[in-house]
Amino acid sequence: MPETLETWAVVLVGALLAGLVQGATGFAFSIVALSFWAWALPPEVAAPLAVLGALTGQLTSLFSVRRGFEWSRILPFVAGGVVGVPIGVFVLHNVDPARFRLALGIVFILYGVYGLLAPEGAKVKGGGRGLDAVVGGIGGLLGGLGGLSGSVPAIWTQMRGWKRDVRRAIMQVYNIAMHVTTLAVYKATGALNVTSWKLFAIIAAPMLAASFYGVRLYRGFSERGFARLVLALICLSGLTLTIGAARALWRF
């Protein structure tokens, strides 16, 4: 448990901002929360706490995106993701995760910056549900490897040119499935610890309040405004990955 006022402040601010962002976008809780918690909590506490917080926020705001439910589009992502999570856990133990995250972070930054600066381009129409499942699998792999399952589907659904409500519903249902799968893996490996549960009990109420406010903000976004917010968060995801990997590789 945090022992200083400064540490408690970092934990609570991270929970509030992560809840707000997740409520507004349907993903990115772990991206935002871990950018704060990584400085205040050990990884074995921060990672399960982020998954618990993300799953709770996703479940409580799921009803608000019911208009975007198109199961024929959602299920291929989920099916691919469930397969991808254990592969990501395997990769985590058999490759250098820091170098992998560094490369991935750079790709995310470049894509996010390009999307923010470039005009509306052509949309990806080919590939069908099979390619959507592959993208879901890649997201699941990244979830097992580093807790970032939502970023790849967020990029892909934008490249598909789907409407805001459909994109939001896909990301939210997909992330719920990935979080449940990740928690199952944590449970099986003994990674769910008492400290994470205690902290979650403390941050849950303020996090949920921020999440509900984020849902209200979402309703005010235009299609383009929502797309730009997602791109900005993809940039943030890339920065978080790059900085974390660089610290691990070069010890600063």
Side-chain angles (χ1 to χ4, degrees):
M1 297 286 284
E3 297 181 356
T4 67
L5 183 61
E6 291 81 4
T7 302
W8 273 113
V10 170
V11 171
L12 288 173
V13 169
L16 287 168
L17 289 178
L20 179 68
V21 169
Q22 179 171 260
T25 65
F27 82 115
F29 184 94
S30 295
I31 296 170
V32 177
L34 291 176
S35 66
F36 287 86
W37 295 347
W39 304 94
L41 299 172
E44 64 271 16
V45 173
L49 181 61
V51 177
L52 287 168
L55 177 59
T56 303
Q58 297 280 13
L59 288 171
T60 53
S61 62
L62 185 61
F63 183 75
S64 66
V65 298
R66 62 192 183 280
R67 292 176 300 178
F69 282 178
E70 293 187 16
W71 290 107
S72 62
R73 287 181 172 177
I74 293 172
L75 291 178
F77 287 94
V78 173
V82 170
V83 173
V85 169
I87 296 174
V89 174
F90 173 81
V91 171
L92 179 64
H93 293 93
N94 290 275
V95 302
D96 183 350
R99 295 185 186 280
F100 183 86
R101 290 170 185 162
L102 180 64
L104 189 67
I106 293 171
V107 171
F108 279 9
I109 291 170
L110 291 175
Y111 176 84
V113 171
Y114 170 79
L116 287 169
L117 297 179
E120 289 281 344
K123 306 301 181 184
V124 178
K125 302 297 184 182
R129 303 294 182 253
L131 189 53
D132 294 341
V134 170
V135 171
I138 295 171
L141 186 151
L142 296 181
L145 184 64
L148 291 167
S149 58
S151 297
V152 171
I155 292 172
W156 184 247
T157 54
Q158 179 163 311
M159 292 173 67
R160 284 293 202 195
W162 292 337
K163 295 295 185 181
R164 180 191 64 167
D165 287 346
V166 174
R167 295 181 60 208
R168 167 73 186 252
I170 289 172
M171 288 188 287
Q172 198 148 342
V173 176
Y174 175 82
N175 282 323
I176 288 172
M178 296 306 97
H179 297 327
V180 170
T181 305
T182 302
L183 285 176
V185 173
Y186 282 166
K187 178 67 175 177
T189 58
L192 277 175
N193 55 77
V194 174
T195 302
S196 295
W197 279 110
K198 288 181 177 178
L199 282 172
F200 173 70
I202 293 169
I203 68 168
M207 178 204 75
L208 286 174
S211 181
F212 287 135
Y213 185 71
V215 172
R216 293 179 62 185
L217 292 177
Y218 164 75
R219 295 177 183 136
F221 283 120
S222 65
E223 292 283 349
R224 181 57 179 164
F226 180 72
R228 293 183 68 83
L229 177 59
V230 169
L231 286 165
L233 289 172
I234 288 168
C235 285
L236 176 61
S237 172
L239 285 171
T240 301
L241 279 171
T242 302
I243 293 171
R247 289 178 64 200
L249 287 169
W250 295 298
R251 309 294 181 187
F252 65 87

